Amino acid sequence: WQSPFRWPPRAGSNNRTSPLSFYDINAHAERMILDDVGGYEISADGNKLLVAKGGNGAGIAAAEGQKRDRTLP
């Protein structure tokens, strides 16, 4: 597992998403965790992420291809 990073929306693009990704050193490839986030925090052990977008939060695994299925109250 590598430290996640968030791409800001690209200037001049119609796409306003800000994906959360990490770089897989072994595969030499970028892997997307979640397609659009406003912010995130990493758990102390690095296995979970708290992500937020538009006033809604969710706890997800720190792994590729996550979905924001269950939001926090």
Side-chain angles (χ1 to χ4, degrees):
W1 169 252
Q2 302 298 318
S3 182
F5 59 91
R6 184 174 67 94
W7 287 109
R10 299 189 191 271
S13 171
N14 290 336
N15 188 355
R16 294 289 173 211
T17 63
S18 188
L20 181 63
S21 303
F22 68 94
Y23 187 78
D24 184 340
I25 293 174
N26 296 326
H28 302 285
E30 180 180 327
R31 308 286 187 203
M32 185 169 27
I33 300 170
L34 197 62
D35 62 350
D36 193 18
V37 298
Y40 69 95
E41 292 291 331
I42 308 170
S43 67
D45 64 5
N47 292 325
K48 302 268 184 190
L49 295 166
L50 179 64
V51 295
K53 176 69 178 178
N56 295 319
I60 61 171
E64 183 179 10
Q66 297 297 302
K67 300 218 182 310
R68 199 180 335 221
D69 293 336
R70 298 187 319 185
T71 58
L72 301 172

